[in-house]
Amino acid sequence: MKRVDERDTMFARANYQKGSQAYEDYYMKNPHKKSIDDSIRSRPNLCEEGTMTYNELNSAIPEASFQFLGDIIHLCEGKINPEKIICSKKVITKRIKGLAKKYGANLVGITKLQDYHFYTHRGRHEENYGEKINCNHKYAIVFACEMDKDMINRGPMISEVIETSKCYVDTAIVGMILSYYIRNLGYDARNHMDSNYLLIPGLVAKDAGLGEIGRNTILTTKEYGSRVRLGVVSTDLELEIDEPITFGLEDFCRLCKNCAFTCPSQSLSNETEKFSNDKVNWIVNQETCYIKWRYLGTDCGMCIASCPFSQEMESIKKVDTFKGNEQLIGEVLSEFRKKYGKRPFVPGNPDWLR
C-alpha cells in the first residue's frame, strides 16, 4: 500500500498562508492545486462568522475544544523513566486496554506498525512542514470513543461539530494518559491526536481489529458504525496484538450506498465495486467535501449518520457477518428506510444549547 504525504491532505493545504515557506514550496511543486486552495482559504473557516450554521454562543464551543487541543500538542512526547519496568506482554496489554477504557475509550486494539500506516512527510504545521517521518516504534495502541448518536444525527448543524470536537478531546486525553503511563514504565510512547498525527488512524484501527473501511472512506465499527473518533499511541513497549476482523462491510456497502446518495457535495463514490482494474473506486473528493464544510461551518457528518451501522439497529446487532448475504443486507436497509427515510435527522438543538 502506497504511503500518503500529509502535505497533500486538505487539512494541511487549507493552512498554507500566502507568503509562507510552506505555501511557496507546496504550490511550486503542485501548481494545479493552487487555484482551488486559494479559493477555499478565502472562505470563512469552520465555526466562524459567515458560515451557514454560525452562532456566536454555540460556535465558540467547538472552537474552544480545538484551541485546547492545540495547546496540549507539545505534551504528545516526553521524558522516559530511565528505570525500565520489566513485565509480561500479557499483563501489560491487559493493563493498557483496561486503562484506555477507564478513561473513556469504547474500543481498544493493538497492532504492529507497518510502513503504510505512516505519512511520508509532515504538513499540518509550518514549524515542521516537510519533515520526513521516521518512527521506530513497533506497536500501536488504537482506541475509539463513541460520538453521541442524537448529536451526530443533527448534522450538518452546529450540534454535530460540538460532538466531533468533544470526542477529539476525549481521544486526546486517553492518548495522553496511556503515553504518560508507558513512559513512566521506562518505554518510549507518542500520542497521535488531532492535527498531530504521524500516521493514519483509520488504517491502524482496521489492522488492530476495530472495524473495516467502508464506502465513506473512514473506519466503520460493528458496534458504532462510523460514529467514533480515533486516537493512537505508538510505542516500543512489547505488546500482544489483535487480528483484523471482517463483518462483511464491503458486501454491505456495495448494496447500501446511503452515504454516497446523501452526501450534500456528492463527494463519495456510488460505484458498486470497491476495486476495479487495480483501482480503488470508493474514495472521497476531499476538495468538494471540504468546500462544503467551509460553507456549513461544521464538519457535516451526514455520511456518518446515514450509515445503518451508526444507528445501533437490532437487525445489525444480531448478525455476525453480512458477507455473501444479500437477503440480510436487504432486510437491514428496508428497516433503516422505514424508520429513517433517506437518513436520520434530529431537528433543533438539545435543551442545553437552546
Side-chain angles (χ1 to χ4, degrees):
M1 192 179 297
K2 188 178 179 181
R3 289 174 67 180
V4 175
D5 190 330
E6 190 186 33
R7 292 174 292 187
D8 291 327
T9 65
M10 200 65 252
F11 300 118
R13 289 157 52 191
N15 285 336
Y16 302 151
Q17 297 302 313
K18 286 187 177 181
S20 69
Q21 180 185 354
Y23 183 96
E24 299 300 330
D25 177 77
Y26 188 78
Y27 296 111
M28 178 181 67
K29 296 173 181 174
N30 301 276
H32 60 291
K33 296 178 181 177
K34 183 175 180 297
S35 178
I36 191 168
D37 289 1
D38 283 344
S39 173
I40 288 171
R41 280 185 293 267
S42 71
R43 303 162 187 258
N45 213 327
L46 268 63
C47 307
E48 284 188 354
E49 187 174 1
T51 58
M52 189 192 81
T53 61
Y54 177 74
N55 176 287
E56 62 181 357
L57 288 181
N58 295 345
S59 296
I61 297 172
E63 191 67 18
S65 295
F66 289 123
Q67 287 172 352
F68 169 69
L69 291 168
D71 286 346
I72 65 173
I73 278 179
H74 67 284
L75 302 175
C76 288
E77 300 174 72
K79 293 181 180 179
I80 305 166
N81 184 352
E83 297 185 16
K84 190 167 286 188
I85 309 275
I86 306 301
C87 51
S88 77
K89 289 169 66 171
K90 182 176 182 179
V91 169
I92 194 59
T93 298
K94 179 182 178 182
R95 196 77 79 246
I96 283 173
K97 287 185 173 182
L99 183 60
K101 289 189 174 181
K102 180 66 176 176
Y103 272 84
N106 297 93
L107 303 171
V108 190
I110 296 171
T111 189
K112 281 189 177 180
L113 284 164
Q114 307 296 329
D115 185 63
Y116 63 81
H117 289 149
F118 291 97
Y119 289 115
T120 59
H121 299 78
R122 303 192 71 175
R124 287 290 292 268
H125 304 288
E126 181 79 21
E127 60 269 23
N128 50 39
Y129 169 88
E131 285 183 8
K132 285 187 177 180
I133 292 177
N134 296 300
C135 180
N136 59 5
H137 290 166
K138 187 177 179 181
Y139 295 94
I141 308 149
V142 57
F143 36 91
C145 289
E146 177 192 9
M147 296 187 289
D148 181 85
K149 183 158 62 75
D150 283 348
M151 292 290 275
I152 293 301
N153 287 351
R154 287 182 166 93
M157 306 312 291
I158 197 70
S159 293
E160 183 272 344
V161 73
I162 289 174
E163 185 63 18
T164 58
S165 60
K166 182 261 184 188
C167 283
Y168 276 123
V169 172
D170 292 341
T171 56
I173 298 302
V174 174
M176 287 297 184
I177 296 299
L178 292 182
S179 55
Y180 270 68
Y181 173 58
I182 293 169
R183 291 195 296 265
N184 282 344
L185 297 178
Y187 301 86
D188 195 14
R190 185 190 194 278
N191 183 20
H192 302 261
M193 51 170 274
D194 179 63
S195 86
N196 196 30
Y197 299 107
L198 300 184
L199 41 69
I200 302 173
L203 296 181
V204 180
K206 173 184 174 294
D207 288 350
L210 267 63
E212 301 183 68
I213 306 296
R215 182 182 292 275
N216 62 6
T217 75
I218 57 180
L219 186 84
T220 298
T221 69
K222 180 72 159 46
E223 298 86 351
Y224 311 107
S226 305
R227 196 168 37 82
V228 294
R229 281 291 176 258
L230 300 172
V232 179
V233 169
S234 59
T235 182
D236 58 6
L237 173 64
E238 292 283 330
L239 297 166
E240 292 186 336
I241 64 170
D242 299 290
E243 295 300 322
I245 62 170
T246 179
F247 46 89
L249 183 65
E250 185 175 332
D251 285 9
F252 194 99
C253 290
R254 186 181 294 121
L255 293 178
C256 177
K257 301 184 180 181
N258 279 0
C259 58
F261 291 148
T262 59
C263 175
S265 59
Q266 298 183 320
S267 299
L268 296 173
S269 167
N270 62 11
E271 290 280 346
T272 298
E273 298 301 324
K274 187 173 185 178
F275 302 99
S276 60
N277 300 320
D278 296 324
K279 174 188 173 186
V280 180
N281 293 322
W282 296 357
I283 59 174
V284 59
N285 183 321
Q286 61 174 342
E287 288 86 3
T288 56
C289 176
Y290 191 65
I291 286 170
K292 181 61 71 171
W293 286 18
R294 296 285 282 249
Y295 165 75
L296 293 169
T298 73
D299 47 2
C300 182
M302 288 172 62
C303 67
I304 297 175
S306 65
C307 176
F309 285 91
S310 296
Q311 299 303 324
E312 299 179 334
M313 296 170 61
E314 290 300 321
S315 56
I316 287 179
K317 291 179 182 179
K318 68 182 183 182
V319 176
D320 291 330
T321 180
F322 291 95
K323 188 170 180 61
N325 200 324
E326 292 189 8
Q327 181 179 339
L328 282 176
I329 297 170
E331 290 173 4
V332 171
L333 295 178
S334 177
E335 179 191 344
F336 179 90
R337 285 159 189 160
K338 184 181 295 185
K339 187 173 183 179
Y340 299 112
K342 289 184 178 180
R343 71 175 180 99
F345 181 66
V346 177
N349 287 322
D351 287 342
W352 67 275
L353 279 174
R354 293 174 188 164

